[in-house]
Amino acid sequence: MSWPPMLMHVKVRGEDTNFGLWLPLFLLWPIVLAVLIILSPLVLAAVLVLWPGGWGRWSLRVLRDSLRVLCAMRGLRVDVRERRQCVYISVV
Amino acid sequence: MSENRKKILDMLANKKISVDEANRLLNALEAERSDSEDTPKAEAGRKTSAKYLRVTVLPDPASENSQNVDRVNIRVPMSLIRAGMKLTSLIPPAARDKVNGALQEKGIDFDVNSVKPDDIEGLIGALSDLEVDVVSSKGEKVKVFVE
Protein backbone atom coordinates (compact mmCIF):
# COMPACT_ATOMS: atom_id res chain seq x y z
CA MET A 1 0.00 0.00 0.00
CA SER A 2 1.36 3.43 -0.88
CA TRP A 3 0.85 6.36 1.45
CA PRO A 4 0.12 9.93 0.42
CA PRO A 5 3.03 12.40 0.46
CA MET A 6 3.97 13.64 3.91
CA LEU A 7 6.11 16.68 3.11
CA MET A 8 6.61 19.06 0.24
CA HIS A 9 9.75 21.14 -0.12
CA VAL A 10 9.41 24.28 -2.26
CA LYS A 11 12.38 26.54 -2.86
CA VAL A 12 12.27 29.64 -5.05
CA ARG A 13 15.25 31.88 -5.65
CA GLY A 14 15.11 34.95 -7.85
CA GLU A 15 16.40 38.47 -8.07
CA ASP A 16 13.83 39.78 -5.58
CA THR A 17 12.51 36.63 -3.96
CA ASN A 18 14.35 34.04 -2.00
CA PHE A 19 12.45 31.58 0.12
CA GLY A 20 12.26 27.93 1.00
CA LEU A 21 9.26 26.15 2.49
CA TRP A 22 8.74 22.76 4.02
CA LEU A 23 5.00 22.09 3.77
CA PRO A 24 3.85 19.49 6.33
CA LEU A 25 1.25 17.73 4.20
CA PHE A 26 0.79 15.09 6.89
CA LEU A 27 -1.06 17.73 8.92
CA LEU A 28 -3.45 18.27 6.03
CA TRP A 29 -4.56 14.65 5.54
CA PRO A 30 -6.55 14.30 8.81
CA ILE A 31 -8.46 17.47 7.88
CA VAL A 32 -9.09 16.17 4.33
CA LEU A 33 -10.22 12.83 5.78
CA ALA A 34 -12.64 14.59 8.15
CA VAL A 35 -14.06 16.68 5.28
CA LEU A 36 -14.44 13.53 3.15
CA ILE A 37 -16.28 11.73 5.96
CA ILE A 38 -18.59 14.71 6.40
CA LEU A 39 -19.24 14.92 2.65
CA SER A 40 -19.53 11.16 2.12
CA PRO A 41 -23.37 11.07 2.35
CA LEU A 42 -23.55 13.75 -0.37
CA VAL A 43 -21.01 11.89 -2.50
CA LEU A 44 -22.96 8.64 -2.07
CA ALA A 45 -26.21 10.37 -3.00
CA ALA A 46 -24.60 11.85 -6.11
CA VAL A 47 -23.21 8.44 -7.10
CA LEU A 48 -26.64 6.83 -6.63
CA VAL A 49 -28.29 9.52 -8.74
CA LEU A 50 -25.68 9.08 -11.48
CA TRP A 51 -25.65 5.26 -11.35
CA PRO A 52 -28.49 4.56 -13.84
CA GLY A 53 -26.77 6.66 -16.50
CA GLY A 54 -23.52 4.75 -16.03
CA TRP A 55 -21.72 7.78 -14.60
CA GLY A 56 -21.86 6.59 -10.97
CA ARG A 57 -19.33 3.83 -11.54
CA TRP A 58 -17.20 6.22 -13.59
CA SER A 59 -17.18 8.88 -10.84
CA LEU A 60 -16.15 6.28 -8.23
CA ARG A 61 -13.28 5.17 -10.46
CA VAL A 62 -12.22 8.80 -10.97
CA LEU A 63 -12.14 9.28 -7.19
CA ARG A 64 -10.13 6.09 -6.68
CA ASP A 65 -7.64 6.89 -9.46
CA SER A 66 -7.25 10.51 -8.29
CA LEU A 67 -6.26 9.19 -4.86
CA ARG A 68 -3.79 6.84 -6.54
CA VAL A 69 -2.24 9.76 -8.42
CA LEU A 70 -1.94 11.68 -5.17
CA CYS A 71 -0.27 8.75 -3.40
CA ALA A 72 2.07 8.18 -6.35
CA MET A 73 3.45 11.72 -6.09
CA ARG A 74 5.98 10.68 -3.45
CA GLY A 75 9.43 10.95 -4.93
CA LEU A 76 8.55 13.60 -7.51
CA ARG A 77 11.32 16.17 -7.86
CA VAL A 78 11.50 19.18 -10.14
CA ASP A 79 14.64 21.31 -10.17
CA VAL A 80 14.92 24.11 -12.72
CA ARG A 81 17.79 26.59 -12.57
CA GLU A 82 18.90 29.40 -14.73
CA ARG A 83 21.54 32.00 -14.04
CA ARG A 84 19.48 34.19 -11.72
CA GLN A 85 16.44 32.09 -10.87
CA CYS A 86 15.88 28.70 -9.37
CA VAL A 87 12.77 26.67 -8.61
CA TYR A 88 12.94 23.44 -6.66
CA ILE A 89 9.95 21.28 -5.74
CA SER A 90 10.29 17.97 -3.99
CA VAL A 91 7.54 15.71 -2.70
CA VAL A 92 8.58 13.41 0.14
CA MET B 1 -3.69 -18.36 -29.23
CA SER B 2 -2.32 -15.86 -26.71
CA GLU B 3 -4.57 -13.37 -24.93
CA ASN B 4 -2.95 -10.31 -26.56
CA ARG B 5 -3.16 -11.85 -30.03
CA LYS B 6 -6.84 -12.56 -29.48
CA LYS B 7 -7.41 -8.95 -28.35
CA ILE B 8 -5.74 -7.54 -31.46
CA LEU B 9 -7.82 -9.77 -33.70
CA ASP B 10 -10.97 -8.78 -31.78
CA MET B 11 -10.14 -5.09 -32.27
CA LEU B 12 -9.64 -5.75 -35.97
CA ALA B 13 -12.93 -7.63 -36.19
CA ASN B 14 -14.70 -4.75 -34.43
CA LYS B 15 -13.04 -2.32 -36.86
CA LYS B 16 -11.37 -0.44 -34.00
CA ILE B 17 -8.03 -0.73 -35.78
CA SER B 18 -7.06 -1.06 -39.41
CA VAL B 19 -5.40 -4.10 -41.02
CA ASP B 20 -2.06 -2.23 -41.11
CA GLU B 21 -2.27 -1.37 -37.42
CA ALA B 22 -3.20 -4.95 -36.54
CA ASN B 23 -0.25 -6.20 -38.56
CA ARG B 24 2.09 -3.78 -36.80
CA LEU B 25 0.76 -4.78 -33.36
CA LEU B 26 1.10 -8.49 -34.15
CA ASN B 27 4.66 -7.95 -35.32
CA ALA B 28 5.45 -6.00 -32.16
CA LEU B 29 3.89 -8.77 -30.08
CA GLU B 30 5.97 -11.37 -31.89
CA ALA B 31 9.15 -9.34 -31.38
CA GLU B 32 8.35 -8.86 -27.70
CA ARG B 33 7.74 -12.59 -27.30
CA SER B 34 11.05 -13.51 -28.89
CA ASP B 35 12.85 -10.93 -26.72
CA SER B 36 11.27 -12.25 -23.55
CA GLU B 37 12.13 -15.81 -24.53
CA ASP B 38 15.77 -14.75 -24.78
CA THR B 39 16.20 -13.43 -21.25
CA PRO B 40 12.92 -13.53 -19.34
CA LYS B 41 14.47 -13.15 -15.88
CA ALA B 42 16.71 -10.24 -16.85
CA GLU B 43 13.77 -8.51 -18.56
CA ALA B 44 11.49 -8.94 -15.57
CA GLY B 45 14.18 -7.72 -13.19
CA ARG B 46 14.84 -4.62 -15.29
CA LYS B 47 11.15 -3.71 -15.56
CA THR B 48 10.48 -4.06 -11.86
CA SER B 49 13.62 -2.16 -10.87
CA ALA B 50 12.73 0.95 -12.92
CA LYS B 51 11.53 3.47 -10.35
CA TYR B 52 11.92 6.90 -11.87
CA LEU B 53 11.77 8.63 -15.22
CA ARG B 54 14.52 11.24 -15.29
CA VAL B 55 14.75 14.28 -17.54
CA THR B 56 17.94 16.31 -17.26
CA VAL B 57 19.19 19.31 -19.17
CA LEU B 58 22.77 20.08 -18.29
CA PRO B 59 25.47 22.16 -19.92
CA ASP B 60 27.77 20.22 -22.19
CA PRO B 61 31.24 20.62 -20.60
CA ALA B 62 32.84 20.74 -24.03
CA SER B 63 30.70 23.67 -25.15
CA GLU B 64 31.77 27.31 -24.94
CA ASN B 65 28.21 28.43 -24.04
CA SER B 66 27.91 26.10 -21.06
CA GLN B 67 27.70 29.01 -18.57
CA ASN B 68 24.50 30.37 -20.16
CA VAL B 69 22.60 27.10 -20.25
CA ASP B 70 19.62 26.50 -17.95
CA ARG B 71 19.76 23.41 -15.81
CA VAL B 72 16.75 21.14 -15.45
CA ASN B 73 16.58 18.06 -13.31
CA ILE B 74 13.20 16.31 -13.15
CA ARG B 75 12.51 12.99 -11.48
CA VAL B 76 9.05 11.48 -12.00
CA PRO B 77 8.14 8.27 -10.15
CA MET B 78 7.04 5.49 -12.50
CA SER B 79 4.08 4.88 -10.20
CA LEU B 80 2.91 8.45 -10.92
CA ILE B 81 3.13 7.85 -14.67
CA ARG B 82 1.21 4.60 -14.24
CA ALA B 83 -1.49 6.23 -12.11
CA GLY B 84 -1.75 9.21 -14.44
CA MET B 85 -2.13 7.04 -17.50
CA LYS B 86 -4.80 4.97 -15.80
CA LEU B 87 -6.61 8.20 -15.04
CA THR B 88 -6.56 9.12 -18.73
CA SER B 89 -8.38 5.86 -19.51
CA LEU B 90 -11.35 7.36 -17.65
CA ILE B 91 -11.76 10.18 -20.15
CA PRO B 92 -15.49 10.28 -21.09
CA PRO B 93 -16.31 8.98 -24.61
CA ALA B 94 -17.39 12.43 -25.84
CA ALA B 95 -14.08 13.95 -24.77
CA ARG B 96 -12.17 11.05 -26.35
CA ASP B 97 -13.72 11.86 -29.71
CA LYS B 98 -12.53 15.46 -29.31
CA VAL B 99 -9.04 14.24 -28.42
CA ASN B 100 -9.04 11.96 -31.47
CA GLY B 101 -10.16 14.88 -33.65
CA ALA B 102 -7.40 17.13 -32.27
CA LEU B 103 -4.82 14.40 -32.88
CA GLN B 104 -6.08 13.91 -36.44
CA GLU B 105 -5.72 17.67 -37.03
CA LYS B 106 -2.08 17.41 -36.00
CA GLY B 107 -1.62 14.50 -38.39
CA ILE B 108 -1.44 11.83 -35.69
CA ASP B 109 -3.52 8.80 -36.64
CA PHE B 110 -4.19 7.46 -33.16
CA ASP B 111 -7.41 6.25 -31.55
CA VAL B 112 -7.52 6.96 -27.80
CA ASN B 113 -10.44 4.51 -27.50
CA SER B 114 -8.16 1.63 -28.39
CA VAL B 115 -5.95 2.19 -25.33
CA LYS B 116 -6.77 -0.43 -22.70
CA PRO B 117 -5.34 -0.85 -19.15
CA ASP B 118 -3.27 -3.83 -20.34
CA ASP B 119 -1.78 -1.68 -23.11
CA ILE B 120 -0.83 0.95 -20.51
CA GLU B 121 1.07 -1.64 -18.50
CA GLY B 122 2.88 -2.73 -21.65
CA LEU B 123 3.69 0.86 -22.54
CA ILE B 124 5.09 1.62 -19.08
CA GLY B 125 7.07 -1.61 -19.15
CA ALA B 126 8.53 -0.57 -22.50
CA LEU B 127 9.58 2.79 -21.00
CA SER B 128 12.35 0.89 -19.22
CA ASP B 129 14.15 0.72 -22.54
CA LEU B 130 13.82 4.46 -23.18
CA GLU B 131 17.00 6.48 -23.42
CA VAL B 132 17.27 9.81 -25.18
CA ASP B 133 20.58 11.63 -25.33
CA VAL B 134 20.76 14.89 -27.27
CA VAL B 135 23.57 17.45 -27.39
CA SER B 136 22.45 20.73 -28.94
CA SER B 137 24.54 23.36 -30.65
CA LYS B 138 23.65 25.77 -27.81
CA GLY B 139 25.68 23.65 -25.43
CA GLU B 140 22.77 21.80 -23.83
CA LYS B 141 22.94 18.13 -23.05
CA VAL B 142 19.42 16.70 -22.80
CA LYS B 143 18.96 13.25 -21.32
CA VAL B 144 15.74 11.31 -20.83
CA PHE B 145 16.16 7.95 -19.15
CA VAL B 146 14.72 5.53 -16.64
CA GLU B 147 16.54 4.53 -13.45
mmCIF file of all heavy atoms in Angstrom, chain A residues 64-87:
data_model
loop_
_atom_site.group_PDB
_atom_site.id
_atom_site.type_symbol
_atom_site.label_atom_id
_atom_site.label_comp_id
_atom_site.label_asym_id
_atom_site.label_seq_id
_atom_site.Cartn_x
_atom_site.Cartn_y
_atom_site.Cartn_z
ATOM 1 N N ARG A 64 -11.147 7.073 -7.062
ATOM 2 C CA ARG A 64 -10.127 6.087 -6.685
ATOM 3 C C ARG A 64 -8.798 6.393 -7.383
ATOM 4 O O ARG A 64 -7.741 6.431 -6.769
ATOM 5 C CB ARG A 64 -10.619 4.688 -7.072
ATOM 6 C CG ARG A 64 -9.703 3.569 -6.661
ATOM 7 C CD ARG A 64 -10.030 2.302 -7.394
ATOM 8 N NE ARG A 64 -9.817 2.461 -8.842
ATOM 9 C CZ ARG A 64 -10.182 1.569 -9.744
ATOM 10 N NH1 ARG A 64 -10.809 0.485 -9.366
ATOM 11 N NH2 ARG A 64 -9.949 1.757 -11.029
ATOM 12 N N ASP A 65 -8.872 6.658 -8.696
ATOM 13 C CA ASP A 65 -7.639 6.886 -9.458
ATOM 14 C C ASP A 65 -6.996 8.224 -9.104
ATOM 15 O O ASP A 65 -5.772 8.354 -9.172
ATOM 16 C CB ASP A 65 -7.918 6.787 -10.960
ATOM 17 C CG ASP A 65 -8.130 5.342 -11.382
ATOM 18 O OD1 ASP A 65 -8.027 4.463 -10.505
ATOM 19 O OD2 ASP A 65 -8.409 5.085 -12.559
ATOM 20 N N SER A 66 -7.815 9.221 -8.722
ATOM 21 C CA SER A 66 -7.250 10.508 -8.288
ATOM 22 C C SER A 66 -6.448 10.311 -7.002
ATOM 23 O O SER A 66 -5.366 10.882 -6.838
ATOM 24 C CB SER A 66 -8.343 11.533 -8.046
ATOM 25 O OG SER A 66 -9.118 11.690 -9.194
ATOM 26 N N LEU A 67 -6.991 9.485 -6.094
ATOM 27 C CA LEU A 67 -6.262 9.186 -4.857
ATOM 28 C C LEU A 67 -4.959 8.459 -5.157
ATOM 29 O O LEU A 67 -3.931 8.704 -4.533
ATOM 30 C CB LEU A 67 -7.131 8.325 -3.930
ATOM 31 C CG LEU A 67 -8.153 9.093 -3.099
ATOM 32 C CD1 LEU A 67 -9.044 8.131 -2.333
ATOM 33 C CD2 LEU A 67 -7.462 10.023 -2.104
ATOM 34 N N ARG A 68 -5.001 7.570 -6.158
ATOM 35 C CA ARG A 68 -3.793 6.842 -6.543
ATOM 36 C C ARG A 68 -2.728 7.805 -7.067
ATOM 37 O O ARG A 68 -1.551 7.660 -6.765
ATOM 38 C CB ARG A 68 -4.114 5.820 -7.635
ATOM 39 C CG ARG A 68 -4.606 4.526 -7.062
ATOM 40 C CD ARG A 68 -4.719 3.499 -8.158
ATOM 41 N NE ARG A 68 -5.335 2.303 -7.632
ATOM 42 C CZ ARG A 68 -5.938 1.399 -8.377
ATOM 43 N NH1 ARG A 68 -6.006 1.566 -9.671
ATOM 44 N NH2 ARG A 68 -6.472 0.333 -7.835
ATOM 45 N N VAL A 69 -3.176 8.772 -7.875
ATOM 46 C CA VAL A 69 -2.236 9.764 -8.425
ATOM 47 C C VAL A 69 -1.594 10.540 -7.273
ATOM 48 O O VAL A 69 -0.385 10.749 -7.247
ATOM 49 C CB VAL A 69 -2.950 10.721 -9.414
ATOM 50 C CG1 VAL A 69 -2.070 11.907 -9.751
ATOM 51 C CG2 VAL A 69 -3.338 9.986 -10.686
ATOM 52 N N LEU A 70 -2.428 10.925 -6.319
ATOM 53 C CA LEU A 70 -1.937 11.683 -5.165
ATOM 54 C C LEU A 70 -0.885 10.874 -4.400
ATOM 55 O O LEU A 70 0.188 11.390 -4.052
ATOM 56 C CB LEU A 70 -3.120 12.025 -4.256
ATOM 57 C CG LEU A 70 -2.870 13.016 -3.157
ATOM 58 C CD1 LEU A 70 -2.715 14.408 -3.740
ATOM 59 C CD2 LEU A 70 -4.012 13.009 -2.172
ATOM 60 N N CYS A 71 -1.190 9.604 -4.157
ATOM 61 C CA CYS A 71 -0.267 8.750 -3.401
ATOM 62 C C CYS A 71 1.020 8.491 -4.190
ATOM 63 O O CYS A 71 2.082 8.303 -3.601
ATOM 64 C CB CYS A 71 -0.928 7.418 -3.054
ATOM 65 S SG CYS A 71 -2.252 7.588 -1.870
ATOM 66 N N ALA A 72 0.899 8.486 -5.516
ATOM 67 C CA ALA A 72 2.068 8.184 -6.348
ATOM 68 C C ALA A 72 3.006 9.376 -6.503
ATOM 69 O O ALA A 72 4.058 9.257 -7.115
ATOM 70 C CB ALA A 72 1.597 7.708 -7.725
ATOM 71 N N MET A 73 2.617 10.514 -5.929
ATOM 72 C CA MET A 73 3.452 11.717 -6.094
ATOM 73 C C MET A 73 4.710 11.692 -5.234
ATOM 74 O O MET A 73 5.603 12.501 -5.428
ATOM 75 C CB MET A 73 2.638 12.973 -5.784
ATOM 76 C CG MET A 73 1.704 13.336 -6.910
ATOM 77 S SD MET A 73 0.849 14.848 -6.590
ATOM 78 C CE MET A 73 2.106 16.037 -6.943
ATOM 79 N N ARG A 74 4.774 10.767 -4.294
ATOM 80 C CA ARG A 74 5.980 10.683 -3.452
ATOM 81 C C ARG A 74 7.183 10.386 -4.329
ATOM 82 O O ARG A 74 7.158 9.467 -5.136
ATOM 83 C CB ARG A 74 5.828 9.565 -2.428
ATOM 84 C CG ARG A 74 4.883 9.898 -1.331
ATOM 85 C CD ARG A 74 4.831 8.794 -0.343
ATOM 86 N NE ARG A 74 5.852 9.015 0.667
ATOM 87 C CZ ARG A 74 5.778 8.491 1.873
ATOM 88 N NH1 ARG A 74 4.789 7.727 2.206
ATOM 89 N NH2 ARG A 74 6.711 8.732 2.750
ATOM 90 N N GLY A 75 8.206 11.167 -4.153
ATOM 91 C CA GLY A 75 9.427 10.946 -4.934
ATOM 92 C C GLY A 75 9.551 11.885 -6.115
ATOM 93 O O GLY A 75 10.592 11.932 -6.768
ATOM 94 N N LEU A 76 8.499 12.652 -6.389
ATOM 95 C CA LEU A 76 8.551 13.604 -7.510
ATOM 96 C C LEU A 76 9.516 14.749 -7.164
ATOM 97 O O LEU A 76 9.483 15.278 -6.055
ATOM 98 C CB LEU A 76 7.155 14.158 -7.770
ATOM 99 C CG LEU A 76 7.029 15.222 -8.870
ATOM 100 C CD1 LEU A 76 7.218 14.587 -10.245
ATOM 101 C CD2 LEU A 76 5.674 15.898 -8.824
ATOM 102 N N ARG A 77 10.358 15.083 -8.101
ATOM 103 C CA ARG A 77 11.316 16.168 -7.858
ATOM 104 C C ARG A 77 11.491 16.989 -9.125
ATOM 105 O O ARG A 77 11.697 16.425 -10.202
ATOM 106 C CB ARG A 77 12.655 15.582 -7.430
ATOM 107 C CG ARG A 77 13.562 16.598 -6.776
ATOM 108 C CD ARG A 77 14.787 15.953 -6.216
ATOM 109 N NE ARG A 77 15.588 15.346 -7.258
ATOM 110 C CZ ARG A 77 16.554 14.476 -7.041
ATOM 111 N NH1 ARG A 77 16.813 14.065 -5.826
ATOM 112 N NH2 ARG A 77 17.246 13.975 -8.034
ATOM 113 N N VAL A 78 11.328 18.281 -8.998
ATOM 114 C CA VAL A 78 11.503 19.180 -10.142
ATOM 115 C C VAL A 78 12.527 20.236 -9.732
ATOM 116 O O VAL A 78 12.357 20.902 -8.718
ATOM 117 C CB VAL A 78 10.166 19.848 -10.544
ATOM 118 C CG1 VAL A 78 10.373 20.819 -11.696
ATOM 119 C CG2 VAL A 78 9.125 18.813 -10.909
ATOM 120 N N ASP A 79 13.575 20.362 -10.497
ATOM 121 C CA ASP A 79 14.645 21.310 -10.169
ATOM 122 C C ASP A 79 15.022 22.055 -11.453
ATOM 123 O O ASP A 79 15.580 21.456 -12.371
ATOM 124 C CB ASP A 79 15.835 20.515 -9.614
ATOM 125 C CG ASP A 79 16.946 21.433 -9.122
ATOM 126 O OD1 ASP A 79 16.749 22.651 -9.140
ATOM 127 O OD2 ASP A 79 18.000 20.912 -8.719
ATOM 128 N N VAL A 80 14.643 23.307 -11.519
ATOM 129 C CA VAL A 80 14.924 24.113 -12.717
ATOM 130 C C VAL A 80 15.768 25.315 -12.296
ATOM 131 O O VAL A 80 15.382 26.063 -11.396
ATOM 132 C CB VAL A 80 13.618 24.587 -13.396
ATOM 133 C CG1 VAL A 80 13.926 25.370 -14.662
ATOM 134 C CG2 VAL A 80 12.718 23.408 -13.724
ATOM 135 N N ARG A 81 16.897 25.469 -12.921
ATOM 136 C CA ARG A 81 17.786 26.594 -12.573
ATOM 137 C C ARG A 81 18.233 27.321 -13.814
ATOM 138 O O ARG A 81 18.572 26.683 -14.817
ATOM 139 C CB ARG A 81 19.056 26.072 -11.893
ATOM 140 C CG ARG A 81 18.829 25.458 -10.560
ATOM 141 C CD ARG A 81 20.046 24.693 -10.150
ATOM 142 N NE ARG A 81 19.688 23.828 -9.038
ATOM 143 C CZ ARG A 81 20.449 23.656 -7.991
ATOM 144 N NH1 ARG A 81 21.599 24.256 -7.902
ATOM 145 N NH2 ARG A 81 20.069 22.853 -7.032
ATOM 146 N N GLU A 82 18.206 28.622 -13.723
ATOM 147 C CA GLU A 82 18.895 29.405 -14.733
ATOM 148 C C GLU A 82 19.846 30.334 -13.988
ATOM 149 O O GLU A 82 20.027 30.195 -12.777
ATOM 150 C CB GLU A 82 17.914 30.139 -15.644
ATOM 151 C CG GLU A 82 17.037 31.136 -14.933
ATOM 152 C CD GLU A 82 16.318 32.044 -15.912
ATOM 153 O OE1 GLU A 82 16.759 32.191 -17.064
ATOM 154 O OE2 GLU A 82 15.318 32.611 -15.490
ATOM 155 N N ARG A 83 20.458 31.228 -14.678
ATOM 156 C CA ARG A 83 21.541 31.999 -14.043
ATOM 157 C C ARG A 83 21.093 32.739 -12.786
ATOM 158 O O ARG A 83 21.780 32.743 -11.783
ATOM 159 C CB ARG A 83 22.117 32.994 -15.050
ATOM 160 C CG ARG A 83 22.929 32.313 -16.097
ATOM 161 C CD ARG A 83 23.592 33.311 -16.989
ATOM 162 N NE ARG A 83 24.897 33.715 -16.470
ATOM 163 C CZ ARG A 83 25.677 34.571 -17.093
ATOM 164 N NH1 ARG A 83 25.295 35.119 -18.220
ATOM 165 N NH2 ARG A 83 26.851 34.879 -16.605
ATOM 166 N N ARG A 84 19.897 33.364 -12.854
ATOM 167 C CA ARG A 84 19.483 34.191 -11.720
ATOM 168 C C ARG A 84 18.276 33.646 -10.964
ATOM 169 O O ARG A 84 17.870 34.214 -9.962
ATOM 170 C CB ARG A 84 19.157 35.599 -12.218
ATOM 171 C CG ARG A 84 20.406 36.335 -12.640
ATOM 172 C CD ARG A 84 20.062 37.622 -13.302
ATOM 173 N NE ARG A 84 21.226 38.225 -13.897
ATOM 174 C CZ ARG A 84 21.183 39.204 -14.760
ATOM 175 N NH1 ARG A 84 20.030 39.697 -15.144
ATOM 176 N NH2 ARG A 84 22.290 39.716 -15.280
ATOM 177 N N GLN A 85 17.646 32.616 -11.519
ATOM 178 C CA GLN A 85 16.445 32.089 -10.873
ATOM 179 C C GLN A 85 16.553 30.584 -10.674
ATOM 180 O O GLN A 85 17.232 29.898 -11.454
ATOM 181 C CB GLN A 85 15.209 32.402 -11.719
ATOM 182 C CG GLN A 85 14.863 33.886 -11.696
ATOM 183 C CD GLN A 85 13.676 34.202 -12.569
ATOM 184 O OE1 GLN A 85 13.556 33.648 -13.659
ATOM 185 N NE2 GLN A 85 12.822 35.087 -12.115
ATOM 186 N N CYS A 86 15.832 30.130 -9.663
ATOM 187 C CA CYS A 86 15.879 28.700 -9.370
ATOM 188 C C CYS A 86 14.558 28.288 -8.725
ATOM 189 O O CYS A 86 14.038 28.984 -7.854
ATOM 190 C CB CYS A 86 17.055 28.444 -8.434
ATOM 191 S SG CYS A 86 16.909 26.998 -7.426
ATOM 192 N N VAL A 87 13.992 27.208 -9.211
ATOM 193 C CA VAL A 87 12.766 26.666 -8.615
ATOM 194 C C VAL A 87 13.010 25.191 -8.305
ATOM 195 O O VAL A 87 13.470 24.445 -9.174
ATOM 196 C CB VAL A 87 11.551 26.798 -9.574
ATOM 197 C CG1 VAL A 87 10.323 26.171 -8.948
ATOM 198 C CG2 VAL A 87 11.274 28.253 -9.904
#
